[in-house]
Amino acid sequence: MRSVMVQIPNTPTSADVARLAGVSRATVSYVLNNTSAVRISEPTRRRVHEAARELGYVPHAAARSLRAGHSRMVLMPAPAVPVGPLYSRFLDELQQALGHLDYTVVQYGTVGLHGDEAARAWAELRPVAVLVPGAELGPRGVAVLKRSGARAVVTLGPVRVDGAHALLMDHDAVGRCAGAHLHAAGRRRIGVVVPKEPGLEAYSRPRLAGVREAVHGTDAAVTELPLAYTEQAAAQLAARCRELNLDAVFAYNDEYAMLLMRALQDEGLRIPEDMAVIGADDLMLGRLLRPRLSTVHIELPSGHDLAELVDRAVRDPGGEPEVHAVLGASVIRRESS
Amino acid sequence: MRSVMVQIPNTPTSADVARLAGVSRATVSYVLNNTSAVRISEPTRRRVHEAARELGYVPHAAARSLRAGHSRMVLMPAPAVPVGPLYSRFLDELQQALGHLDYTVVQYGTVGLHGDEAARAWAELRPVAVLVPGAELGPRGVAVLKRSGARAVVTLGPVRVDGAHALLMDHDAVGRCAGAHLHAAGRRRIGVVVPKEPGLEAYSRPRLAGVREAVHGTDAAVTELPLAYTEQAAAQLAARCRELNLDAVFAYNDEYAMLLMRALQDEGLRIPEDMAVIGADDLMLGRLLRPRLSTVHIELPSGHDLAELVDRAVRDPGGEPEVHAVLGASVIRRESS
DNA sequence: TTGAAAGCGGTACCAC
DNA sequence: GTGGTACCGCTTTCAA
């Protein structure tokens, strides 16, 4: 009796390739990895390649790295908040550079996990390096990752974390720049916008603190201005600014600055005569506003440099953690201040 | 002779935990996975947990999924171009929802890889599902992924791909909306901005085509207007718009609209009297412009719905590919058109 | 030049 | 209740 079976296309393994090519699994591995320590005859190579192509063979990364005892995966938590063009470009450059060094960048969708929970989840993937923006990771998280074989842990954030390399992106500097600029321009009653949107505190608190530092010991006063990203909230805040008799506002970034500037103008305040406004991030939109928006230009590290730091750290896991201050901030004065 | 050795902290395995707890690896597995088919005494459970905690044990995801023959990983290519707030929110919601269904979302940094190359790289990770925005993936790529065990492949883009589920996000509709609106408003010489920035063609071409469709068979003429995202380019384009005697522009999206609107105003054109301008994406900034920017509001599918589609597909891999048209587009008329 | 086999870390079946 | 053990797919000695 002839039995016709529907062939369920099981994912082909190297054993299948070996069978089809009439060789051993070892040979398949040698051929497909171009192992230089071993010479395989040209006919055999061809047969193996042919078989692999025919079956649509794709090696199993997990099996490979399990056997190898390590991977080339660089893990980053996927950003939860919409990320600006600045940071996007930085990320892209970083991925490019790491890819060039033969690493694979993977952004892990860390959903509800926080702190050490998250670190544990990341550690399960046994990445060779972990890059963590923000201040999500503590020393214990770093320890977990290192114990699980991460040869480099790099934080990109406001503070250094024990045991990890650090790219110090101190947003204080942004606030200091803005504060110093406004003070030098003769402003003395300075408001600082602090977004109400969650997830931005890591940046907004230091920026506020920076302004405070900049005018510390002078006769200038700093007022914290919480603001949700809506027109209505902006209108209310504009009215409040007038009541408070402020003469300057550092608006967190250019987007919030645009929002607030519009509201201030609608409130009848002249910019910059009655009220100086300065943003941050040097986005294109600031140049398009009227008056043109002054801003704090932020210089992020080159993705290329970070990639090389990662590579160094991976090659020499015992080395002292490197700490680099990498956030350049400088005022671009336009017309609004 | 007493030998003092520096204990190199090798990553602890379940065998280490077993040793320390004085039980077998099997027992460790049972305890840590809460295997219900097997009863383990309370004291033993405690000892195992204790040992795991003490060693900082973290299970090895690769080993686990190798044994299991599958993972819960949903893979997406990491977006290469800076992605707007709309899409960011969608992504975030999607990750949330998938996480809730116990999937792990991983964005793979696909650098220089294209088409089938990329599909192969993704397939190496043996994800249970693959979500691909844009038009990067062809039928062959889909086949590669499926052969490697992906139980669901979903494309989010302008066209359906053979073998994959599709969330049709037909940006033609955006252009059609804009075109119909401008035509209804009496405009007949319509320019359509097409960004020169690479990576945006997947959206800009259909949007342009949509405008053409909308006015097809009428007396309106459509002019393609390539534009780089710089002030200078915008100024030149504004001058050209005047020469061409256009009476309306669909500016690709709100950001390009803002750029061009500024340039048109600087060129002395009145909006909307001399020139109607409409953007797309319904960003906040459009509301803040003067005149307020008309725009095409885009409704993306809910991340929740997509997550459920993925889950359905994973549970029933043999099912017919689902195809949903999911992009809602509607004009929000403000003052600029 | 090629093949047999051990072993990476976990899980789950089958005995005891 | 708990332990022994085979096995997932791949790489890499070691022998032939």
Side-chain angles (χ1 to χ4, degrees), chain B residues 216-294:
Chain B
H216 184 71
T218 73
D219 56 340
V222 173
T223 307
E224 180 177 346
L225 304 173
L227 172 61
Y229 196 61
T230 68
E231 283 188 273
Q232 200 194 352
Q236 288 172 1
L237 183 56
R240 181 147 171 257
C241 286
R242 154 165 283 167
E243 285 169 23
L244 290 170
N245 202 23
L246 299 180
D247 60 10
V249 177
F250 169 47
Y252 175 66
N253 75 4
D254 289 352
E255 292 183 321
Y256 282 84
M258 179 180 185
L259 175 62
L260 182 57
M261 203 160 98
R262 183 81 273 158
L264 290 168
Q265 288 174 325
D266 289 351
E267 179 74 20
L269 290 166
R270 292 166 309 159
I271 298 172
E273 294 82 358
D274 304 328
M275 178 86 74
V277 176
I278 183 168
D281 291 0
D282 191 14
L283 300 183
M284 167 71 87
L285 67 79
R287 278 192 281 256
L288 303 177
L289 297 177
R290 295 299 179 267
R292 290 170 212 271
L293 182 66
S294 295

Side-chain angles (χ1 to χ4, degrees), chain B residues 77-107:
Chain B
V81 289
V83 78
L86 243 77
Y87 191 69
S88 276
R89 274 204 32 221
F90 167 66
L91 260 189
D92 207 50
E93 196 182 317
L94 173 62
Q95 294 197 6
Q96 206 88 16
L98 281 173
H100 212 273
L101 293 169
D102 200 37
Y103 293 96
T104 292
V105 179
V106 153
Q107 292 177 249

Side-chain angles (χ1 to χ4, degrees), chain A residues 126-141:
Chain A
R126 299 290 193 272
V128 68
V130 181
L131 266 46
V132 191
E136 284 269 26
L137 193 68
R140 302 216 332 215

Side-chain angles (χ1 to χ4, degrees), chain A residues 107-165:
Chain A
Q107 291 177 249
Y108 189 100
T110 312
V111 277
L113 307 175
H114 287 304
D116 296 350
E117 298 276 329
R120 243 189 78 98
W122 303 339
E124 293 195 355
L125 294 191
R126 299 290 193 272
V128 68
V130 181
L131 266 46
V132 191
E136 284 269 26
L137 193 68
R140 302 216 332 215
V142 175
V144 168
L145 289 168
K146 292 206 143 176
R147 282 199 75 72
S148 317
R151 290 164 70 89
V153 179
V154 184
T155 62
L156 292 70
V159 296
R160 189 182 174 334
V161 178
D162 245 27
H165 301 264

